[in-house]
Structures are given as structure tokens and as C-alpha cells.
Amino acid sequence: MGQTIVEKIFAAHRRDTPTPENIILDLDVVMCHEITTPIAVTDLEARGMDRVFDPDKIKVVIDHVTPAKDSKTATQGKILRDWARRQNIRDFFDIGRNGVCHALFPEKGFIRPGYTVIMGDSHTCTHGAFGAFAAGVGTTDLEVGILKGVCSFRLPRTIKVEINGKLPAGVYAKDVILYIIKTITVNGATDRVLEFAGPVVDAMSMEARMTLCNMAIEAGATCGICPPDKTTAEYLWPFIQNDYATVDQAAADFRQWHSDPDAAYEQVLEFDVSTLAPQVTFGFKPDEVKDITAMEGVPVDQIYIGSCTNGRIEDLREAAKVLKGRRIADQVRGILSPATPKVYNQAMEEGLLKIFQEAGFCVTNPTCGACLGMSNGVLAEGEVCASTTNRNFNGRMGKGGIVHLMSPLSAAAAAVAGKITDPRPLLV
Amino acid sequence: MKQFGGQALFLDRSDINTDEIIPAKYLTENTKMDLKPYVLEDLKLGGFDPQRDLAGKGVVVSRANFGCGSSREHAVWVFEVNEINTVIAESFARIFRQNMYNCGMLAIELPAADIEKLFNLGGEVNIEVDLATGKLTARGEQTAEFSFVLNDFDRRLVEAGGWLNYADQHY
């Protein structure tokens, strides 16, 4: 019997099997940010365990609230900064160099196919786009990861999601994943891995695959994962060129992390996206999703473009297609948070920031920002946001507000129209 | 070892998420105790008042997919500091469930029919948990017994007082 990608990764990283159901994995990367890590650091200090298993395998960023907004967030940053220095963690990204963790760490080349990755952040599943097993964990798992370089998991079953057909104009990875979550529900992949495959995934950029994997957690999945291929090798090339003679050779090596043809899946779901319309959420759960045409005309107060889901250069380019030469509606506020300094600079060089600003958007520094209502861009009671983020939970972006999740193109269209609208006519 | 059980708080909804249990804006707190007043602040459940309804409770009983969403362990800590030691649900989101065991707390999954029965016991319900035998005794207007199965590894974590203690002994 063949193995799935995740079964192969588990077999290659197994440290211990305390029970037949539970596996202790060796970790390749432990990622940290300033919201869930400081309590782990202070707890380890208090226990006399102020050590790390390997400073080179720990990657640290301040991204959720940056610059600090008050004394408490300043303290969180300070705890992390002091710890990184004390433990000789070289990959520490502070203000000026920092950006959204799940966009910044791939850009820095920290992920490889076949890796095991944890972080105290549920959207760590994003890194599965590289064919890695990447899972969000709580602070205690993070503590043990920092200290011992291990984490416990039950071997997750795999649901293969085969995406067939060809994406129509104006429809993106975000629409695909929203539609998938609608189909399998917010609890449909709990204790499972979603393995995304098929011609549509093969044709996707790494940015688009990250968008797909980013929201796997919204279906409850432990991880989303894509088979690593030439696209993966090209993205990683600056970081792996000493390991391989050519991109093709790297891609060939990555094939070891593909599921075997006779691997056992719990379920295989097939989607043909050839006639998929842009999607949007309407309630407080990420599986409450409709075709955007069914939400036409719902007024919005704020538009947020950014986050680990859709704050990458490709996302900004898509939004700019609609915003170029247009103004956002008078009654709305537009906020753009490029996900990383690299995205910011690229957007500046390509003239995208100018397009956003001339359209009336406020451009912030790279940060998680408005996504989870803990720093800038918080909604007031009763306000509505068209957002490229990943969660629409009640109160997520501010108490009493509501968030409608959509693609960058749809968010840009909402900005121009002042209401939710089908973006496709604006592309012409 | 820690004792589990107590008066039950019934939260009659599926998919109760971590943002509802503890909104992100409070994740700037640097001690667990500081989270205490904000428990379930954004819970979307008609007529629910966390301060009133949580008083004296030791157990939360809910429906499917409890604790979905964020990885924030704060969602477990905010129960811990409010003296909730056990959550019983039809199913849990993976990270929340693991965070419970990692903190030496109990997450118990029961079939939907048992959860329904718990909801229908009537009156103030007190739940006794016998970890050794895997039995729950719930006393309200009626009394009912339930069996539960805890994964052996999760049981060891709970018995060790959490994952850090266990990992420090073993790895």
C-alpha cells in the first residue's frame, strides 16, 4: 500500500510512538510571533527552562500588532526581542523588516517540501503549499517545540481535493477555497489533511497555493498541502541553488514528497471550477458562502485588502486591475496592508501603491492589521467590511461588525461600488 | 491528580469558535488571570450572560466542533482561570482539544445522542467525572450515566499535569 504525502512526512520525522494513535514528530521549523509566544517564553523562564532546541530552526517575527499600539503590545515585543537575542535566534524580524508571518517566512525560504513546521497560529497550514506538514498549535505545544524540537500529533487522515477544469476570468484561488469550505463545512476536515491536487492546482502560482492552504483550517483541517513541483522549485530557487544543479533536478527530487498512486485516501472530492463564480461569505462562519451575484448590492463601510490569505503581490496586482483609474465610493474606507516589506516595495516599483492611493486607499505598513481586530482598522458596531482575510467570526474585526470574505478582485470592486458587487464586469 | 467535574454550563450551539471564547483584542494580556473577565464575551447565543451564567460552573457542555478557529491557548486558559476544568462536546476542533490536554484539562467527546440527553436532564446539572473508569454521572432533575473513551496518550498528558511535564520527562 502506498503512502500519502503526510504519511511519508510522518514516517521520516517519527521520534516516538507513545500509543498506536499518537506520534511524536521531530520538527524542522518552529515559528513564533509576538501574540502567542511571549507567554511561552516567560513560562519557560519561570520553570528554569530558558533554552531552545536549535536557534537556527526557530524563526521569529513581530507581526500581529506592529508598531506596538500600547504598553502591553510593547511588552510582548520586548519579551520576544530579548529572548531572540538571548537565545541567538538569528532569524528575528522586527519593525522595518517584519511582515505577516505566513507571507514573510516563505519569502525568506524557510520552508522545504517534506518539512514539519509548527507555529502558535492556526493559519500555519499556509506553509503546506510547499508540500510541508505545517500545523497551527497552542502555546504549550509551542513551548515544547521550542524546548525539545518535537510535537505530538495523531496521524491525520487525508482527504484528496482534486480541482479540475480551468478557472474562469475573475475567479481566483480564494473563490475556489471558499467554495470548497462551503461544500465540506467548517467541521468537514477536522483531524484531516486536505491534499489539493489536479490541473488547476498544478497551474497555480505559489501565492495562489498559499491562499488555498491558508484556509484549510477554516474547514477544520490540520494542514492543507500541495504536491511540490517545478513551481515550488522555482519559488525556492534562490535558497536551494547550492543543493541542486537545476530547477528541474530540484523538482524531480521533490517528487519523493508526492502521494503514491495507490495511497489510501479517506475520501476523494472532485471539483470542476470551469463555471465557478466569484464567492463571498454572508454570515459568521467561513462555510456560509454564496455566489457573489447573490449578495449584489449589500452596502459596505470598509474594504480591507491584506493578511496571510491575500496580501501578496499577486493579490495586489489583481485588485489594482479594478482600481486603476477609478475612485473608491465616497462613503467607504479602503485599507491596504501589503503582507511583507518585499511585497510593499514590489508594489511601489510596479506603481500599484500609487493606484491604490489615487483610488483613495490608505496604505499601511506590513502587518496582520485589521484581520483580527487587535490593531488598526477595527470596525464599529454595525459596520460591514469587504475583506480579503480568512475569518468572518462574530466580532472578528471589531465587536458588532460583520466581515464578508472575498477575493482581492471582489474587494476592489466593492471599494469602487461601495457595495458588494460582481467584479467581473469591471475587468472589461 | 486534579479532580474533574462540577456544575454544568450548557452552551446549545455547534461551531462555537475561539474568537467567541476570547476575542483577539485580549491576546495582548501577558498573564492568564488577566483574561478572566472576558470569557465568552462575544458568544453568539441568545440570552447568554457570561458573568451570570458561568458563576460556580466547572464543566461546559456543548455541541459539535467546539473551539474551532484560532490556535490561541487563551481559549483554554480563560476557562482554567474561571475554574472550568472540563469541556464535554460532540466533537472538538483539533487544536482546542489538544490545548486542553496539554494544559492538563479534560476534553470529553460524547455521541450526539448522549449530548442531547445531557441537555435534557433538566434543572441544575452536576457532573462527576471518573477518569479511571471512564464514567460520567450527571445529576439534574434526572440522573444519567455515560461512558467516555479518552485516547491513552491524552490521558497520560492529563495525568502528568500537561504536555510540558510529560515531554520534559520523555524527550
Side-chain angles (χ1 to χ4, degrees), chain B residues 14 61-65 87-92 107-120 134 136 145-150:
Chain B
S14 287
V61 182
S62 190
R63 303 282 183 178
N65 198 30
V87 181
I88 303 171
E90 193 182 319
S91 63
F92 292 93
I108 297 177
E109 284 177 330
L110 288 182
D114 285 355
I115 294 288
E116 189 60 32
K117 213 167 156 186
L118 271 173
F119 269 92
N120 292 327
L136 291 178
E145 280 206 357
F146 305 90
S147 299
F148 66 92
V149 181
L150 205 60

PDB file of all heavy atoms in Angstrom, chain B residues 14 61-65 87-92 107-120 134 136 145-150:
ATOM      1  N   SER B  14     -23.521  24.575  17.934  1.00  0.00           N
ATOM      2  CA  SER B  14     -22.324  23.985  17.334  1.00  0.00           C
ATOM      3  C   SER B  14     -21.379  25.098  16.883  1.00  0.00           C
ATOM      4  O   SER B  14     -21.780  26.264  16.813  1.00  0.00           O
ATOM      5  CB  SER B  14     -22.709  23.139  16.113  1.00  0.00           C
ATOM      6  OG  SER B  14     -23.327  21.958  16.541  1.00  0.00           O
ATOM      7  N   VAL B  61     -20.812  22.140  28.644  1.00  0.00           N
ATOM      8  CA  VAL B  61     -21.367  21.118  27.747  1.00  0.00           C
ATOM      9  C   VAL B  61     -21.836  21.816  26.477  1.00  0.00           C
ATOM     10  O   VAL B  61     -22.567  22.808  26.547  1.00  0.00           O
ATOM     11  CB  VAL B  61     -22.557  20.376  28.402  1.00  0.00           C
ATOM     12  CG1 VAL B  61     -23.086  19.295  27.459  1.00  0.00           C
ATOM     13  CG2 VAL B  61     -22.154  19.776  29.742  1.00  0.00           C
ATOM     14  N   SER B  62     -21.383  21.325  25.334  1.00  0.00           N
ATOM     15  CA  SER B  62     -21.764  21.985  24.087  1.00  0.00           C
ATOM     16  C   SER B  62     -21.954  20.974  22.965  1.00  0.00           C
ATOM     17  O   SER B  62     -21.948  19.759  23.216  1.00  0.00           O
ATOM     18  CB  SER B  62     -20.720  23.049  23.739  1.00  0.00           C
ATOM     19  OG  SER B  62     -21.177  23.850  22.674  1.00  0.00           O
ATOM     20  N   ARG B  63     -22.127  21.467  21.777  1.00  0.00           N
ATOM     21  CA  ARG B  63     -22.453  20.590  20.638  1.00  0.00           C
ATOM     22  C   ARG B  63     -21.194  20.247  19.831  1.00  0.00           C
ATOM     23  O   ARG B  63     -20.163  19.982  20.397  1.00  0.00           O
ATOM     24  CB  ARG B  63     -23.524  21.262  19.771  1.00  0.00           C
ATOM     25  CG  ARG B  63     -24.812  21.605  20.541  1.00  0.00           C
ATOM     26  CD  ARG B  63     -25.682  20.400  20.763  1.00  0.00           C
ATOM     27  NE  ARG B  63     -26.939  20.751  21.440  1.00  0.00           N
ATOM     28  CZ  ARG B  63     -27.899  19.885  21.714  1.00  0.00           C
ATOM     29  NH1 ARG B  63     -27.770  18.615  21.391  1.00  0.00           N
ATOM     30  NH2 ARG B  63     -29.000  20.273  22.337  1.00  0.00           N
ATOM     31  N   ALA B  64     -21.299  20.327  18.488  1.00  0.00           N
ATOM     32  CA  ALA B  64     -20.198  19.861  17.637  1.00  0.00           C
ATOM     33  C   ALA B  64     -19.153  20.951  17.361  1.00  0.00           C
ATOM     34  O   ALA B  64     -19.468  22.134  17.391  1.00  0.00           O
ATOM     35  CB  ALA B  64     -20.759  19.352  16.310  1.00  0.00           C
ATOM     36  N   ASN B  65     -17.923  20.508  17.094  1.00  0.00           N
ATOM     37  CA  ASN B  65     -16.846  21.381  16.610  1.00  0.00           C
ATOM     38  C   ASN B  65     -16.541  22.517  17.579  1.00  0.00           C
ATOM     39  O   ASN B  65     -16.289  23.652  17.175  1.00  0.00           O
ATOM     40  CB  ASN B  65     -17.224  21.929  15.230  1.00  0.00           C
ATOM     41  CG  ASN B  65     -16.031  22.466  14.467  1.00  0.00           C
ATOM     42  OD1 ASN B  65     -14.902  22.003  14.630  1.00  0.00           O
ATOM     43  ND2 ASN B  65     -16.274  23.436  13.605  1.00  0.00           N
ATOM     44  N   VAL B  87     -14.528  20.264  29.403  1.00  0.00           N
ATOM     45  CA  VAL B  87     -15.497  20.616  28.361  1.00  0.00           C
ATOM     46  C   VAL B  87     -15.971  19.313  27.728  1.00  0.00           C
ATOM     47  O   VAL B  87     -15.159  18.458  27.355  1.00  0.00           O
ATOM     48  CB  VAL B  87     -14.901  21.548  27.285  1.00  0.00           C
ATOM     49  CG1 VAL B  87     -15.965  21.909  26.244  1.00  0.00           C
ATOM     50  CG2 VAL B  87     -14.341  22.824  27.915  1.00  0.00           C
ATOM     51  N   ILE B  88     -17.277  19.150  27.668  1.00  0.00           N
ATOM     52  CA  ILE B  88     -17.881  17.950  27.070  1.00  0.00           C
ATOM     53  C   ILE B  88     -18.614  18.392  25.807  1.00  0.00           C
ATOM     54  O   ILE B  88     -19.423  19.323  25.854  1.00  0.00           O
ATOM     55  CB  ILE B  88     -18.879  17.285  28.049  1.00  0.00           C
ATOM     56  CG1 ILE B  88     -18.169  16.935  29.368  1.00  0.00           C
ATOM     57  CG2 ILE B  88     -19.510  16.053  27.417  1.00  0.00           C
ATOM     58  CD1 ILE B  88     -19.105  16.466  30.474  1.00  0.00           C
ATOM     59  N   ALA B  89     -18.300  17.769  24.698  1.00  0.00           N
ATOM     60  CA  ALA B  89     -18.943  18.170  23.441  1.00  0.00           C
ATOM     61  C   ALA B  89     -19.040  16.971  22.512  1.00  0.00           C
ATOM     62  O   ALA B  89     -18.399  15.945  22.721  1.00  0.00           O
ATOM     63  CB  ALA B  89     -18.142  19.292  22.776  1.00  0.00           C
ATOM     64  N   GLU B  90     -19.839  17.160  21.479  1.00  0.00           N
ATOM     65  CA  GLU B  90     -19.998  16.098  20.487  1.00  0.00           C
ATOM     66  C   GLU B  90     -18.675  15.914  19.728  1.00  0.00           C
ATOM     67  O   GLU B  90     -18.296  14.803  19.385  1.00  0.00           O
ATOM     68  CB  GLU B  90     -21.120  16.516  19.552  1.00  0.00           C
ATOM     69  CG  GLU B  90     -21.646  15.455  18.666  1.00  0.00           C
ATOM     70  CD  GLU B  90     -22.715  16.026  17.747  1.00  0.00           C
ATOM     71  OE1 GLU B  90     -23.552  16.837  18.197  1.00  0.00           O
ATOM     72  OE2 GLU B  90     -22.683  15.691  16.567  1.00  0.00           O
ATOM     73  N   SER B  91     -17.999  17.033  19.471  1.00  0.00           N
ATOM     74  CA  SER B  91     -16.673  16.981  18.844  1.00  0.00           C
ATOM     75  C   SER B  91     -15.953  18.301  19.094  1.00  0.00           C
ATOM     76  O   SER B  91     -16.584  19.304  19.441  1.00  0.00           O
ATOM     77  CB  SER B  91     -16.779  16.715  17.336  1.00  0.00           C
ATOM     78  OG  SER B  91     -17.470  17.775  16.709  1.00  0.00           O
ATOM     79  N   PHE B  92     -14.635  18.254  18.922  1.00  0.00           N
ATOM     80  CA  PHE B  92     -13.810  19.448  19.147  1.00  0.00           C
ATOM     81  C   PHE B  92     -12.985  19.762  17.911  1.00  0.00           C
ATOM     82  O   PHE B  92     -12.634  18.853  17.152  1.00  0.00           O
ATOM     83  CB  PHE B  92     -12.814  19.205  20.291  1.00  0.00           C
ATOM     84  CG  PHE B  92     -13.448  19.073  21.632  1.00  0.00           C
ATOM     85  CD1 PHE B  92     -13.795  17.834  22.132  1.00  0.00           C
ATOM     86  CD2 PHE B  92     -13.699  20.204  22.403  1.00  0.00           C
ATOM     87  CE1 PHE B  92     -14.393  17.707  23.377  1.00  0.00           C
ATOM     88  CE2 PHE B  92     -14.291  20.087  23.651  1.00  0.00           C
ATOM     89  CZ  PHE B  92     -14.639  18.836  24.138  1.00  0.00           C
ATOM     90  N   ALA B 107     -11.023  17.312  27.807  1.00  0.00           N
ATOM     91  CA  ALA B 107     -11.968  17.492  26.702  1.00  0.00           C
ATOM     92  C   ALA B 107     -12.569  16.115  26.446  1.00  0.00           C
ATOM     93  O   ALA B 107     -11.844  15.177  26.131  1.00  0.00           O
ATOM     94  CB  ALA B 107     -11.246  18.004  25.466  1.00  0.00           C
ATOM     95  N   ILE B 108     -13.859  15.993  26.639  1.00  0.00           N
ATOM     96  CA  ILE B 108     -14.524  14.689  26.502  1.00  0.00           C
ATOM     97  C   ILE B 108     -15.510  14.732  25.341  1.00  0.00           C
ATOM     98  O   ILE B 108     -16.386  15.597  25.289  1.00  0.00           O
ATOM     99  CB  ILE B 108     -15.274  14.311  27.802  1.00  0.00           C
ATOM    100  CG1 ILE B 108     -14.272  14.157  28.950  1.00  0.00           C
ATOM    101  CG2 ILE B 108     -16.093  13.036  27.615  1.00  0.00           C
ATOM    102  CD1 ILE B 108     -14.914  13.866  30.296  1.00  0.00           C
ATOM    103  N   GLU B 109     -15.341  13.775  24.426  1.00  0.00           N
ATOM    104  CA  GLU B 109     -16.272  13.688  23.299  1.00  0.00           C
ATOM    105  C   GLU B 109     -17.321  12.620  23.599  1.00  0.00           C
ATOM    106  O   GLU B 109     -16.983  11.502  23.992  1.00  0.00           O
ATOM    107  CB  GLU B 109     -15.514  13.329  22.020  1.00  0.00           C
ATOM    108  CG  GLU B 109     -14.746  14.521  21.474  1.00  0.00           C
ATOM    109  CD  GLU B 109     -13.907  14.218  20.239  1.00  0.00           C
ATOM    110  OE1 GLU B 109     -13.430  13.081  20.088  1.00  0.00           O
ATOM    111  OE2 GLU B 109     -13.732  15.145  19.431  1.00  0.00           O
ATOM    112  N   LEU B 110     -18.576  12.996  23.422  1.00  0.00           N
ATOM    113  CA  LEU B 110     -19.677  12.042  23.584  1.00  0.00           C
ATOM    114  C   LEU B 110     -20.501  12.033  22.305  1.00  0.00           C
ATOM    115  O   LEU B 110     -20.592  13.057  21.619  1.00  0.00           O
ATOM    116  CB  LEU B 110     -20.576  12.465  24.753  1.00  0.00           C
ATOM    117  CG  LEU B 110     -20.058  12.322  26.177  1.00  0.00           C
ATOM    118  CD1 LEU B 110     -21.147  12.766  27.161  1.00  0.00           C
ATOM    119  CD2 LEU B 110     -19.618  10.896  26.492  1.00  0.00           C
ATOM    120  N   PRO B 111     -21.149  10.908  22.001  1.00  0.00           N
ATOM    121  CA  PRO B 111     -22.010  10.885  20.812  1.00  0.00           C
ATOM    122  C   PRO B 111     -23.147  11.910  20.930  1.00  0.00           C
ATOM    123  O   PRO B 111     -23.555  12.253  22.060  1.00  0.00           O
ATOM    124  CB  PRO B 111     -22.587   9.459  20.833  1.00  0.00           C
ATOM    125  CG  PRO B 111     -21.726   8.680  21.756  1.00  0.00           C
ATOM    126  CD  PRO B 111     -21.119   9.641  22.717  1.00  0.00           C
ATOM    127  N   ALA B 112     -23.647  12.344  19.785  1.00  0.00           N
ATOM    128  CA  ALA B 112     -24.696  13.376  19.753  1.00  0.00           C
ATOM    129  C   ALA B 112     -25.889  13.000  20.637  1.00  0.00           C
ATOM    130  O   ALA B 112     -26.456  13.862  21.325  1.00  0.00           O
ATOM    131  CB  ALA B 112     -25.145  13.605  18.318  1.00  0.00           C
ATOM    132  N   ALA B 113     -26.252  11.709  20.663  1.00  0.00           N
ATOM    133  CA  ALA B 113     -27.419  11.282  21.447  1.00  0.00           C
ATOM    134  C   ALA B 113     -27.175  11.487  22.948  1.00  0.00           C
ATOM    135  O   ALA B 113     -28.082  11.890  23.691  1.00  0.00           O
ATOM    136  CB  ALA B 113     -27.719   9.811  21.163  1.00  0.00           C
ATOM    137  N   ASP B 114     -25.936  11.238  23.397  1.00  0.00           N
ATOM    138  CA  ASP B 114     -25.605  11.452  24.810  1.00  0.00           C
ATOM    139  C   ASP B 114     -25.604  12.940  25.155  1.00  0.00           C
ATOM    140  O   ASP B 114     -26.048  13.347  26.239  1.00  0.00           O
ATOM    141  CB  ASP B 114     -24.218  10.861  25.127  1.00  0.00           C
ATOM    142  CG  ASP B 114     -24.239   9.334  25.217  1.00  0.00           C
ATOM    143  OD1 ASP B 114     -25.343   8.752  25.122  1.00  0.00           O
ATOM    144  OD2 ASP B 114     -23.161   8.733  25.365  1.00  0.00           O
ATOM    145  N   ILE B 115     -25.089  13.724  24.246  1.00  0.00           N
ATOM    146  CA  ILE B 115     -25.084  15.177  24.471  1.00  0.00           C
ATOM    147  C   ILE B 115     -26.532  15.676  24.581  1.00  0.00           C
ATOM    148  O   ILE B 115     -26.882  16.450  25.481  1.00  0.00           O
ATOM    149  CB  ILE B 115     -24.341  15.909  23.316  1.00  0.00           C
ATOM    150  CG1 ILE B 115     -22.849  15.547  23.317  1.00  0.00           C
ATOM    151  CG2 ILE B 115     -24.538  17.421  23.391  1.00  0.00           C
ATOM    152  CD1 ILE B 115     -22.019  16.131  24.448  1.00  0.00           C
ATOM    153  N   GLU B 116     -27.380  15.168  23.701  1.00  0.00           N
ATOM    154  CA  GLU B 116     -28.796  15.541  23.721  1.00  0.00           C
ATOM    155  C   GLU B 116     -29.420  15.178  25.081  1.00  0.00           C
ATOM    156  O   GLU B 116     -30.153  15.968  25.674  1.00  0.00           O
ATOM    157  CB  GLU B 116     -29.507  14.795  22.573  1.00  0.00           C
ATOM    158  CG  GLU B 116     -30.935  15.214  22.319  1.00  0.00           C
ATOM    159  CD  GLU B 116     -31.069  16.683  21.943  1.00  0.00           C
ATOM    160  OE1 GLU B 116     -30.143  17.233  21.305  1.00  0.00           O
ATOM    161  OE2 GLU B 116     -32.096  17.297  22.308  1.00  0.00           O
ATOM    162  N   LYS B 117     -29.079  13.997  25.559  1.00  0.00           N
ATOM    163  CA  LYS B 117     -29.599  13.527  26.846  1.00  0.00           C
ATOM    164  C   LYS B 117     -29.138  14.446  27.985  1.00  0.00           C
ATOM    165  O   LYS B 117     -29.918  14.796  28.871  1.00  0.00           O
ATOM    166  CB  LYS B 117     -29.076  12.095  27.090  1.00  0.00           C
ATOM    167  CG  LYS B 117     -30.024  11.195  27.854  1.00  0.00           C
ATOM    168  CD  LYS B 117     -29.535   9.750  27.750  1.00  0.00           C
ATOM    169  CE  LYS B 117     -30.049   8.926  28.887  1.00  0.00           C
ATOM    170  NZ  LYS B 117     -29.473   7.561  28.879  1.00  0.00           N
ATOM    171  N   LEU B 118     -27.872  14.846  27.926  1.00  0.00           N
ATOM    172  CA  LEU B 118     -27.348  15.770  28.943  1.00  0.00           C
ATOM    173  C   LEU B 118     -28.128  17.086  28.934  1.00  0.00           C
ATOM    174  O   LEU B 118     -28.477  17.623  29.988  1.00  0.00           O
ATOM    175  CB  LEU B 118     -25.868  16.075  28.661  1.00  0.00           C
ATOM    176  CG  LEU B 118     -24.816  15.160  29.279  1.00  0.00           C
ATOM    177  CD1 LEU B 118     -23.436  15.515  28.746  1.00  0.00           C
ATOM    178  CD2 LEU B 118     -24.821  15.266  30.803  1.00  0.00           C
ATOM    179  N   PHE B 119     -28.396  17.565  27.716  1.00  0.00           N
ATOM    180  CA  PHE B 119     -29.131  18.824  27.595  1.00  0.00           C
ATOM    181  C   PHE B 119     -30.549  18.715  28.165  1.00  0.00           C
ATOM    182  O   PHE B 119     -31.135  19.697  28.580  1.00  0.00           O
ATOM    183  CB  PHE B 119     -29.201  19.263  26.115  1.00  0.00           C
ATOM    184  CG  PHE B 119     -28.058  20.155  25.700  1.00  0.00           C
ATOM    185  CD1 PHE B 119     -26.893  19.628  25.156  1.00  0.00           C
ATOM    186  CD2 PHE B 119     -28.140  21.532  25.866  1.00  0.00           C
ATOM    187  CE1 PHE B 119     -25.838  20.450  24.783  1.00  0.00           C
ATOM    188  CE2 PHE B 119     -27.100  22.358  25.495  1.00  0.00           C
ATOM    189  CZ  PHE B 119     -25.940  21.817  24.949  1.00  0.00           C
ATOM    190  N   ASN B 120     -31.085  17.485  28.156  1.00  0.00           N
ATOM    191  CA  ASN B 120     -32.482  17.310  28.560  1.00  0.00           C
ATOM    192  C   ASN B 120     -32.670  16.840  30.003  1.00  0.00           C
ATOM    193  O   ASN B 120     -33.781  16.501  30.388  1.00  0.00           O
ATOM    194  CB  ASN B 120     -33.171  16.313  27.607  1.00  0.00           C
ATOM    195  CG  ASN B 120     -33.312  16.917  26.221  1.00  0.00           C
ATOM    196  OD1 ASN B 120     -33.485  18.121  26.086  1.00  0.00           O
ATOM    197  ND2 ASN B 120     -33.204  16.088  25.195  1.00  0.00           N
ATOM    198  N   GLY B 134     -13.668   5.930  33.225  1.00  0.00           N
ATOM    199  CA  GLY B 134     -14.263   6.493  32.017  1.00  0.00           C
ATOM    200  C   GLY B 134     -15.772   6.661  32.133  1.00  0.00           C
ATOM    201  O   GLY B 134     -16.504   6.461  31.176  1.00  0.00           O
ATOM    202  N   LEU B 136     -19.112   9.122  33.401  1.00  0.00           N
ATOM    203  CA  LEU B 136     -19.645  10.426  33.793  1.00  0.00           C
ATOM    204  C   LEU B 136     -20.971  10.180  34.486  1.00  0.00           C
ATOM    205  O   LEU B 136     -21.791   9.419  33.973  1.00  0.00           O
ATOM    206  CB  LEU B 136     -19.961  11.284  32.573  1.00  0.00           C
ATOM    207  CG  LEU B 136     -18.858  11.834  31.695  1.00  0.00           C
ATOM    208  CD1 LEU B 136     -19.490  12.604  30.543  1.00  0.00           C
ATOM    209  CD2 LEU B 136     -17.985  12.763  32.510  1.00  0.00           C
ATOM    210  N   GLU B 145     -25.985   8.197  33.464  1.00  0.00           N
ATOM    211  CA  GLU B 145     -24.558   7.836  33.410  1.00  0.00           C
ATOM    212  C   GLU B 145     -24.113   7.703  31.972  1.00  0.00           C
ATOM    213  O   GLU B 145     -24.884   7.256  31.124  1.00  0.00           O
ATOM    214  CB  GLU B 145     -24.345   6.495  34.135  1.00  0.00           C
ATOM    215  CG  GLU B 145     -24.297   6.641  35.635  1.00  0.00           C
ATOM    216  CD  GLU B 145     -23.495   5.526  36.291  1.00  0.00           C
ATOM    217  OE1 GLU B 145     -23.039   4.624  35.574  1.00  0.00           O
ATOM    218  OE2 GLU B 145     -23.313   5.585  37.520  1.00  0.00           O
ATOM    219  N   PHE B 146     -22.895   8.052  31.735  1.00  0.00           N
ATOM    220  CA  PHE B 146     -22.338   7.969  30.385  1.00  0.00           C
ATOM    221  C   PHE B 146     -20.929   7.382  30.452  1.00  0.00           C
ATOM    222  O   PHE B 146     -20.210   7.622  31.418  1.00  0.00           O
ATOM    223  CB  PHE B 146     -22.241   9.362  29.740  1.00  0.00           C
ATOM    224  CG  PHE B 146     -23.544  10.104  29.724  1.00  0.00           C
ATOM    225  CD1 PHE B 146     -23.896  10.933  30.788  1.00  0.00           C
ATOM    226  CD2 PHE B 146     -24.422   9.972  28.660  1.00  0.00           C
ATOM    227  CE1 PHE B 146     -25.105  11.626  30.781  1.00  0.00           C
ATOM    228  CE2 PHE B 146     -25.624  10.654  28.643  1.00  0.00           C
ATOM    229  CZ  PHE B 146     -25.970  11.490  29.708  1.00  0.00           C
ATOM    230  N   SER B 147     -20.567   6.658  29.396  1.00  0.00           N
ATOM    231  CA  SER B 147     -19.184   6.184  29.292  1.00  0.00           C
ATOM    232  C   SER B 147     -18.456   7.051  28.286  1.00  0.00           C
ATOM    233  O   SER B 147     -19.047   7.463  27.294  1.00  0.00           O
ATOM    234  CB  SER B 147     -19.146   4.756  28.759  1.00  0.00           C
ATOM    235  OG  SER B 147     -19.841   3.933  29.644  1.00  0.00           O
ATOM    236  N   PHE B 148     -17.206   7.303  28.563  1.00  0.00           N
ATOM    237  CA  PHE B 148     -16.410   8.038  27.569  1.00  0.00           C
ATOM    238  C   PHE B 148     -15.061   7.350  27.389  1.00  0.00           C
ATOM    239  O   PHE B 148     -14.590   6.628  28.265  1.00  0.00           O
ATOM    240  CB  PHE B 148     -16.228   9.504  27.959  1.00  0.00           C
ATOM    241  CG  PHE B 148     -15.414   9.734  29.209  1.00  0.00           C
ATOM    242  CD1 PHE B 148     -14.039   9.935  29.133  1.00  0.00           C
ATOM    243  CD2 PHE B 148     -16.021   9.760  30.461  1.00  0.00           C
ATOM    244  CE1 PHE B 148     -13.281  10.157  30.291  1.00  0.00           C
ATOM    245  CE2 PHE B 148     -15.275   9.979  31.613  1.00  0.00           C
ATOM    246  CZ  PHE B 148     -13.903  10.173  31.533  1.00  0.00           C
ATOM    247  N   VAL B 149     -14.490   7.579  26.213  1.00  0.00           N
ATOM    248  CA  VAL B 149     -13.187   6.987  25.904  1.00  0.00           C
ATOM    249  C   VAL B 149     -12.197   8.132  25.712  1.00  0.00           C
ATOM    250  O   VAL B 149     -12.452   9.067  24.962  1.00  0.00           O
ATOM    251  CB  VAL B 149     -13.261   6.149  24.604  1.00  0.00           C
ATOM    252  CG1 VAL B 149     -11.899   5.528  24.311  1.00  0.00           C
ATOM    253  CG2 VAL B 149     -14.324   5.070  24.734  1.00  0.00           C
ATOM    254  N   LEU B 150     -11.122   8.034  26.452  1.00  0.00           N
ATOM    255  CA  LEU B 150     -10.068   9.028  26.299  1.00  0.00           C
ATOM    256  C   LEU B 150      -8.888   8.337  25.637  1.00  0.00           C
ATOM    257  O   LEU B 150      -8.504   7.249  26.059  1.00  0.00           O
ATOM    258  CB  LEU B 150      -9.678   9.539  27.696  1.00  0.00           C
ATOM    259  CG  LEU B 150      -9.060  10.915  27.809  1.00  0.00           C
ATOM    260  CD1 LEU B 150     -10.009  11.986  27.280  1.00  0.00           C
ATOM    261  CD2 LEU B 150      -8.724  11.211  29.277  1.00  0.00           C
TER     262      LEU B 150
END
